[in-house]
Amino acid sequence: MMTTAAAATAGVLPGAAGTDVRDWARRAGALSPVLAVIALLLVPGGGGAEGGTGGTGTIADAASGLLVLICLVRVMRSGARPLSRAAAVVLGLPVLGICLAAITSGDPAASLPGVARYVQIFVLVPAAVLLMIRDRKDFAVVAWALVGLALLQGAVGVVQYLTGTGASYQGEDIRAVGTFGPTDVMGMATVVSYGLVIVTGIALGSGRGRARTAALVCAGLLFLPLVLSFSRGAWIATVLAIAIQLVLSGLRRAGRVALVVGALAVVLVGGLGVGSAMVKERVTSITQVAGAPDQSVTDRYTMWAAAGRMWESDPLTGVGLKGFPAYRDSHASLALSSGSDTAGAGAAFRKQPLLSPHNMYLLVLSEQGLLGLLTLAGSWLALLVGAVRRMGLVAIGLLSWQLIDFFYADIGGPSTVLMSVVLGLAAWWSLAEVKRA
């Protein structure tokens, strides 16, 4: 159980009802570059979920570039030191591995887009978000904006399931994907998971009744679209991340919440029959990955093995950024299929090429080698340690979810830019030199 001092700073966020509306409006205006990136993820994207270092060129990506530019102008005009030494080291560490991998690549020119993408996602946008947030109330504005995006995307996903207008799943157009489309089936699941983890942190850490009530209501609303996403990876990461938050908030409370969540799951899936047969089959398939895996799991194992062979060929710096697709066929076995089938949600049937191993750690290891993995993972681990030291339940939950999800997902698709905002949000709690109490 947390001490009183820890509980007082355990990721407490103010509720909207308890804050002056004009103050929130003023803060939203100051944070508009960050909020614009979040809001523009509601715009249906035309890009596919190209894995690895592939970009999608969405309007939200363009807004993230504008965010970085605005932040740079503000820093230059203020003349103050923008980041603490610790923040500069932690956020800048990945640049070392990224640049080394590009320089040592067999085709440095082809690696340049990968350099830009990695620096955007893991360095520039998180640093810009950190600098935009000034205090806990700003943190709350961004956090609740993410929850709002999750609620809207989740609502679209539920409608897709109920009306049969979602992405194709087992021959039916029922998979909830929000506005991300069938080529980025993890997009809505990721956004909804972020929202669920955030409201869990608020409910567990907030001392204000209205904020906690709002968080619990939002958690109930977000549970259903997460289930209807049929995303095994998102389910696993969400369960584990929330479990970590619960344990840190106190074992007795963790037990009570587990009972409530279990009852909610029984009512929604068992009692109301919300996708019960398909959900049961999907959950069961998680335990069959070694015995009788489906083709998607077989493809994933095959690409993981291919990534390992690429790393063995160049263990220190990897085959180079954006190198996985070029080296895939020469390192993968014949078990790999030609691609995954995508259809539904307003899109025609197409084969989605398998251009990444769907494991961020193996992707970095294969393309950037051991140095790249150590610098990137070291940066993420430093953020998590900082969040735990300062008992920020929201930041701990978001970072835990992302680091767990990276075992079976990587960057790619329109939702990737949101991940960079989330990393910046967590980085503020872990690294910013401000008073939180």
Side-chain angles (χ1 to χ4, degrees):
M1 179 117 14
M2 290 188 302
T3 64
T4 304
T9 57
V12 181
L13 299 180
T19 305
D20 184 80
V21 175
R22 287 177 297 179
D23 180 54
W24 274 68
R26 177 179 57 80
R27 291 178 179 276
L31 293 166
S32 57
V34 180
L35 301 181
V37 177
I38 297 172
L40 289 173
L41 282 165
L42 288 169
V43 178
E50 185 180 349
T53 53
T56 56
T58 65
I59 189 171
D61 279 302
S64 73
L66 184 60
L67 163 64
V68 173
L69 182 60
I70 292 173
C71 185
L72 179 62
V73 171
R74 288 186 181 182
V75 168
M76 293 178 65
R77 292 180 62 182
S78 68
R81 186 180 68 174
L83 295 172
S84 67
R85 183 175 301 176
V89 170
V90 170
L91 293 179
L93 187 61
V95 176
L96 177 61
I98 293 168
C99 292
L100 281 175
I103 294 171
T104 58
S105 170
D107 188 355
S111 296
L112 287 178
V115 173
R117 185 64 166 167
Y118 268 98
V119 171
Q120 172 205 4
I121 298 302
F122 295 115
V123 181
L124 294 180
V125 175
V129 173
L130 185 155
L131 292 172
M132 284 283 182
I133 298 175
R134 298 162 298 177
D135 53 30
R136 280 176 48 191
K137 290 184 179 180
D138 280 359
F139 184 96
V141 170
V142 178
W144 280 109
L146 287 168
V147 174
L149 173 66
L151 290 170
L152 291 172
Q153 289 286 2
V156 173
V158 172
V159 171
Q160 289 172 332
Y161 174 82
L162 294 176
T163 59
T165 56
S168 179
Y169 179 75
Q170 294 188 352
E172 300 181 60
D173 294 343
I174 58 170
R175 188 170 190 175
V177 292
T179 65
F180 294 100
T183 56
D184 188 14
V185 294
M186 278 293 294
M188 187 214 74
T190 298
V191 173
V192 170
S193 298
Y194 286 155
L196 194 52
V197 168
I198 289 171
V199 294
T200 299
I202 296 172
L204 294 175
S206 178
R208 302 189 180 189
R210 292 180 179 178
R212 179 172 294 170
T213 300
L216 291 174
V217 170
C218 290
L221 294 174
L222 291 172
F223 178 81
L224 181 57
L226 180 60
V227 171
L228 298 179
S229 71
F230 297 107
S231 173
R232 293 171 293 198
W235 293 348
I236 295 171
T238 303
V239 169
L240 293 180
I242 291 178
I244 291 171
Q245 290 176 309
L246 286 170
V247 170
L248 290 176
S249 69
L251 294 179
R252 184 177 300 177
R253 176 184 287 180
R256 292 198 301 265
V257 174
L259 290 175
V260 172
V261 172
L264 180 63
V266 170
V267 171
L268 287 177
V269 179
L272 299 181
V274 179
S276 55
M278 291 184 176
V279 170
K280 181 179 179 180
E281 182 274 334
R282 196 66 166 166
V283 172
T284 303
S285 70
I286 295 175
T287 63
Q288 295 175 337
V289 293
D294 56 32
Q295 184 59 48
S296 66
V297 175
T298 299
D299 285 339
R300 188 159 299 187
Y301 280 170
T302 304
M303 291 188 293
W304 287 3
R309 296 187 187 102
M310 292 180 202
W311 172 67
E312 290 174 356
S313 67
D314 199 339
L316 198 59
T317 56
V319 299
L321 294 173
K322 293 184 71 70
F324 185 89
Y327 287 85
R328 183 198 63 184
D329 292 341
S330 62
H331 290 79
S333 70
L334 295 177
L336 184 65
S337 68
S338 59
S340 58
D341 299 340
T342 63
F349 173 84
R350 61 171 291 191
K351 279 281 187 181
Q352 186 74 16
L354 303 174
L355 302 178
S356 75
H358 295 291
N359 179 306
M360 190 65 197
Y361 304 108
L362 289 177
L363 175 64
V364 175
L365 193 63
S366 63
E367 292 190 341
Q368 301 181 43
L370 189 59
L371 286 176
L373 182 61
L374 288 176
T375 54
L376 261 174
S379 175
W380 302 332
L381 183 59
L383 292 179
L384 182 58
V385 170
V388 172
R389 286 182 58 194
R390 297 177 174 182
M391 284 305 297
L393 291 180
V394 171
I396 291 170
L398 290 173
L399 289 169
S400 298
W401 188 95
Q402 196 63 67
L403 295 181
I404 295 167
D405 183 69
F406 274 161
F407 281 103
Y408 27 78
D410 50 50
I411 61 174
S415 58
T416 299
V417 71
L418 185 65
M419 181 190 68
S420 64
V421 174
V422 165
L423 289 175
L425 190 67
W428 180 85
W429 199 278
S430 301
L431 301 171
E433 294 182 329
V434 294
K435 188 177 180 181
R436 290 170 176 75

